[in-house]
Amino acid sequence: MKTRNYIKLEFPAKSCNEAFARTAVGAFAAQLDPCIDELGDIKTAVSEAVTNAIVHAYPENIGTVWIKLRILDDDTLEICVKDKGRGIENVKKAMEPLFTTGGEERCGMGFTIMDSFMDSVKVISRCGKGTSVIMRRNIRSKYESK
């Protein structure tokens, strides 16, 4: 599918940058004219993906998080959140509700939230090499008849 527009972001994996990522993605997605609920869903999914990279990818140091955003010809927003951290040993297990490697303070619902708010979520990970979370959400025009 052809890309109509894209941006790339890079920032340190610090919790203070999660709000920046959320806001930047929301601003980029706004060109598709999403409704408030769609925009909230997208921003929440991004928060979860970025928080996972900050907390799980780089538990002992501050690495880098990359976000690539694309708007595809069919009004789909594609978001790729990537890190080069420790990776996920078992992606299928990690995507199960309530599974966490983050200790008692983590609820293990990040991938479940992403999956429920986006049309698709794909996770590619290699131990010691990092993780990419690719999410897509089609923005349905407010002006389409239902």
Side-chain angles (χ1 to χ4, degrees):
M1 185 153 313
K2 191 172 178 186
T3 300
R4 287 197 330 235
N5 197 8
Y6 74 94
I7 63 170
K8 296 177 183 180
L9 305 170
E10 177 181 324
F11 52 90
K14 295 181 176 184
S15 60
C16 62
N17 287 329
E18 179 271 329
F20 163 75
R22 180 181 169 94
T23 302
V25 170
F28 184 77
Q31 65 192 288
L32 288 169
D33 197 25
C35 70
I36 295 295
D37 289 340
E38 288 172 319
L39 194 55
D41 290 352
I42 291 163
K43 290 166 71 173
T44 299
V46 167
S47 290
E48 294 296 331
V50 169
T51 298
N52 277 356
I54 292 167
V55 171
H56 300 290
Y58 306 110
E60 291 145 18
N61 61 357
I62 297 173
T64 302
V65 177
W66 293 268
I67 298 178
K68 181 177 180 182
L69 303 164
R70 296 191 313 154
I71 293 177
L72 306 175
D73 272 345
D74 68 346
D75 292 334
T76 295
L77 175 67
E78 182 180 79
I79 304 161
C80 178
V81 178
K82 181 178 179 177
D83 66 69
K84 291 187 180 177
R86 67 181 180 177
I88 301 170
E89 188 174 325
N90 184 336
V91 171
K92 187 176 179 181
K93 182 75 173 166
M95 292 183 78
E96 290 178 5
L98 305 177
F99 178 82
T100 184
T101 59
E104 291 180 15
E105 68 278 359
R106 298 283 162 205
C107 69
M109 294 297 290
F111 285 125
T112 302
I113 291 168
M114 288 179 240
D115 194 47
S116 67
F117 286 169
M118 302 301 282
D119 293 330
S120 68
V121 176
K122 181 178 180 181
V123 180
I124 302 166
S125 190
R126 289 183 41 205
C127 288
K129 300 290 184 185
T131 301
S132 293
V133 177
I134 301 129
M135 303 177 283
R136 286 187 173 187
R137 175 77 181 249
N138 183 265
I139 306 301
R140 289 144 186 92
S141 173
K142 294 179 212 174
Y143 308 107
E144 288 179 5
S145 59
K146 296 188 179 193

